[in-house]
C-alpha cells in the first residue's frame, strides 16, 4: 500500500517546512508566500516557469510543491508530473478554471 505523502508510518501528520511555489503571476506568488509565512513556514522557494520548477525541486527537495497549471516553459502539469513521479514530492495544482482534461491528467499522475 502506498504511503500518504503527509503521513508518517504511524499515521501522524508530517510537518511541512519547505514549499516550492511556481506561478507566473508575481501577485499570486506573493500572496501564497505571505500566507505560508503567516503559517510559520519560512523555507519557501519560488519560480515562474515549469523548467525552473523541476530544476529547483531536484536541487532543493521541498516537502511540497504548489504549481499553477498555466505556467510556461514545460507547463504546469508536465512539471507537476515530473516532480511527483520522479521525486515523490506531493503537489498541489493551482487552476484558474476546472478543465476536465487537466483534472483527468492530474489524476493519472497521482495529484
Amino acid at each position: 500500500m502506498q504511503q500518504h505523502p503527509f503521513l508518517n508510518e504511524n499515521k501522524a501528520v508530517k510537518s511541512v517546512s519547505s514549499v516550492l511555489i511556481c506561478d507566473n503571476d508575481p501577485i499570486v506568488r506573493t500572496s501564497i508566500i505571505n500566507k505560508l509565512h503567516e503559517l510559520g513556514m519560512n523555507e519557501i522557494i519560488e519560480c515562474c516557469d515549469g523548467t525552473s520548477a523541476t530544476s529547483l525541486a531536484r536541487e532543493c527537495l521541498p516537502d511540497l510543491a504548489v504549481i499553477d497549471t498555466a505556467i510556461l516553459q514545460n507547463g504546469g502539469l508536465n512539471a507537476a508530473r515530473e516532480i511527483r513521479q520522479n521525486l515523490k514530492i506531493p503537489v498541489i495544482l493551482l487552476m484558474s478554471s476546472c478543465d476536465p482534461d487537466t483534472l483527468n491528467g492530474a489524476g493519472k499522475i497521482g495529484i
Side-chain angles (χ1 to χ4, degrees), residues 10-111:
N10 298 320
K11 303 289 185 200
V13 177
K14 295 179 188 176
S15 65
V16 175
S17 61
S18 60
V19 181
L20 170 66
I21 307 294
C22 184
D23 194 301
N24 58 342
D25 185 333
I27 295 170
V28 172
R29 276 197 323 269
T30 300
S31 177
I32 294 169
I33 290 167
N34 289 341
K35 183 52 79 175
L36 291 173
H37 283 304
E38 286 177 23
L39 295 170
M41 294 180 203
N42 293 316
E43 190 178 338
I44 300 170
I45 307 123
E46 64 176 296
C47 61
C48 61
D49 64 72
T51 302
S52 297
T54 54
S55 176
L56 285 168
R58 273 189 237 101
E59 180 184 330
C60 302
L61 294 174
D63 297 320
L64 174 68
V66 179
I67 301 175
D68 181 9
T69 58
I71 58 172
L72 303 174
Q73 293 182 19
N74 194 27
L77 198 54
N78 288 334
R81 178 184 304 110
E82 189 171 330
I83 290 168
R84 180 72 187 126
Q85 290 180 343
N86 296 337
L87 302 172
K88 308 301 184 220
I89 294 170
V91 175
I92 295 173
L93 289 178
L94 300 176
M95 299 171 56
S96 60
S97 63
C98 190
D99 171 24
D101 291 336
T102 302
L103 288 175
N104 289 333
K108 288 178 183 176
I109 60 173
I111 297 174

